[in-house]
């Protein structure tokens, strides 16, 4: 029984094969939110304002599409993960069905996402290193929630259980992925940015193309890499007979995560208090 993660090279090649074969589908799933953003930009133009009523209507419609954009952007990681899971299992999902499945989980996913964000913030409140440690331990929380139906804090605990014993291995793979993403973005900025700006299209066009590249090309690759890494860790845990965390681990993880939540909550309260309460100025006579 193999108790080691796949080598980084193997993980990269597996990711590339799956990504290259299904890039069209994954890009289509990723571009959906930007359809709403594009519609908002198209209708939110001054030449369409011919009366106060038309101005109000345009603002309302633009607001609706802005909300839709935000909702779909929030759902995007789950939608891409769902599509990757389907193609990894040999199926070709319909984009509409992908989002339909995902939207059924959005409310509970919001709680998991909040826990992940606050625990990570709590770690960084203890300086950078605890934040990095916590971030790696809860890196699979989205997957444990969506694919294994773990809710709230349980999703974070199962993620931490999967990472246990593989923290450094997962960190090195995350760093490798970050380097690939950085190189891809720098290449895009250098080549496409130079061409677009050189032709005089302006920074707005470049920003739009950059966002498309980031979400339609880079994001699917990063999500595929992370998904296959999650499946690899999960497989090792299951094959070793340690699919579920022990009671002692659950208690320890709960104490740590709750502590980080409290630290983050205190930090946020202090931050808002300092910014909300005016500081009196002393006048020297």
């Amino acid at each position: 029984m193999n108790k080691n993660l796949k080598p980084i090279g193997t993980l990269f090649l597996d990711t590339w094969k799956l990504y290259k074969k299904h890039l069209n589908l994954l890009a289509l799933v990723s571009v959906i939110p930007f359809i709403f953003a594009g519609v908002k930009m198209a209708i939110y133009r001054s030449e369409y304002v011919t009366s106060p009523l038309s101005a109000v209507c345009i603002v309302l419609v633009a607001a609706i599409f802005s909300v839709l954009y935000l909702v779909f952007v929030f759902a995007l990681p789950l939608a891409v993960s769902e599509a990757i899971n389907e193609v990894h299992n040999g199926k070709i999902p319909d984009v509409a069905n992908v989002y339909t499945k995902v939207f059924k989980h959005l409310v509970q996913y919001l709680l998991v996402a909040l826990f992940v964000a606050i625990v990570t913030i709590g770690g960084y409140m203890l300086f950078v290193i605890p934040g990095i440690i916590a971030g790696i331990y809860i890196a699979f929380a989205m997957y444990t929630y969506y694919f294994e139906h773990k809710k709230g804090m349980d999703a974070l605990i199962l993620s931490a259980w999967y990472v246990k014993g593989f923290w450094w291995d997962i960190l090195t793979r995350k760093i490798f992925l970050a380097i690939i993403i950085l190189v891809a973005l720098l290449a895009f900025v250098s080549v496409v940015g130079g061409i677009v700006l050189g032709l005089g299209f302006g920074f707005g066009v470049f920003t739009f193309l950059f966002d498309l590249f980031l979400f339609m090309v880079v994001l699917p690759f990063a999500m595929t890499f992370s998904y296959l890494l999650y499946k690899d860790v999960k497989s090792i845990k299951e094959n070793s007979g340690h699919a579920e965390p022990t009671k002692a681990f659950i208690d320890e993880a709960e104490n740590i995560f709750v502590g980080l939540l409290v630290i983050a909550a205190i930090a946020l309260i202090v931050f808002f208090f300092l910014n909300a309460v005016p500081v009196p100025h002393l006048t020297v006579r």
Side-chain angles (χ1 to χ4, degrees):
M1 179 180 61
N2 184 19
K3 294 185 178 180
N4 298 318
L5 294 178
K6 292 180 181 179
I8 294 178
T10 302
L11 178 61
F12 173 79
L13 291 177
D14 290 345
T15 299
W16 177 252
K17 290 176 183 177
L18 189 64
Y19 167 82
K20 183 175 66 173
K21 184 177 180 180
H22 300 285
L23 176 58
N24 291 341
L25 172 65
L26 299 178
L28 183 59
V29 172
S30 301
V31 79
I32 297 298
F34 292 93
I35 295 176
F36 298 105
V39 172
K40 186 197 74 170
M41 292 174 61
I43 64 175
Y44 204 58
R45 301 171 65 90
S46 59
E47 56 263 33
Y48 295 147
V49 180
T50 58
S51 66
L53 180 59
S54 65
V56 171
C57 291
I58 288 174
V59 170
L60 288 176
V61 173
I64 291 172
F65 278 96
S66 295
V67 171
L68 288 172
Y69 168 74
L70 293 175
V71 171
F72 274 82
V73 164
F74 179 69
L76 185 58
L78 284 183
V80 175
S81 298
E82 169 65 21
I84 293 170
N85 184 63
E86 290 286 286
V87 297
H88 184 249
N89 292 325
K91 304 175 183 177
I92 304 298
D94 178 77
V95 175
N97 290 337
V98 167
Y99 276 98
T100 299
K101 290 181 65 175
V102 163
F103 276 122
K104 296 177 182 179
H105 300 270
L106 274 193
V107 175
Q108 292 181 345
Y109 173 59
L110 176 61
L111 179 61
V112 174
L114 285 174
F115 277 151
V116 168
I118 297 174
V119 165
T120 304
I121 291 172
Y124 280 106
M125 290 296 103
L126 299 175
F127 303 105
V128 176
I129 293 179
I132 295 174
I133 294 173
I136 295 298
Y137 270 111
I138 59 180
F140 299 135
M142 178 183 70
Y143 301 118
T144 56
Y145 160 70
Y146 186 72
F147 295 118
E148 302 187 51
H149 313 295
K150 299 294 183 180
K151 299 177 182 179
M153 190 66 71
D154 290 340
L156 279 66
I157 293 173
L158 184 57
S159 172
W161 176 251
Y162 285 163
V163 173
K164 180 179 170 61
F166 299 104
W167 192 92
W168 284 106
D169 300 287
I170 293 173
L171 176 64
T172 56
R173 283 152 179 78
K174 292 289 185 179
I175 293 174
F176 176 78
L177 176 61
I179 292 172
I180 292 177
I181 293 174
L182 180 61
V183 170
L185 294 179
L186 289 176
F188 182 87
V189 170
S190 301
V191 177
V192 178
I195 294 174
V196 170
L197 298 178
L199 293 175
F201 284 107
F203 191 72
V205 174
F206 168 72
T207 302
F208 177 74
L209 293 176
F210 180 84
D211 288 342
L212 286 180
F213 176 75
L214 180 63
F215 282 89
M216 295 180 65
V217 179
V218 176
L219 177 66
F221 182 86
M223 295 294 296
T224 303
F225 186 96
S226 298
Y227 170 83
L228 292 180
L229 178 58
Y230 155 73
K231 294 293 286 187
D232 191 19
V233 175
K234 173 178 166 61
S235 175
I236 292 174
K237 289 287 185 175
E238 289 177 342
N239 291 334
S240 63
H242 299 94
E244 294 293 331
T246 63
K247 179 66 167 57
F249 182 87
I250 293 174
D251 293 339
E252 181 182 2
E254 281 183 345
N255 291 335
I256 292 174
F257 289 150
V258 170
L260 292 175
L261 287 172
V262 171
I263 292 172
I266 294 173
L268 291 173
I269 291 171
V270 171
F271 174 80
F272 286 116
F273 178 79
L274 292 177
N275 285 272
V277 178
V279 179
H281 296 279
L282 299 178
T283 303
V284 179
R285 297 182 178 180

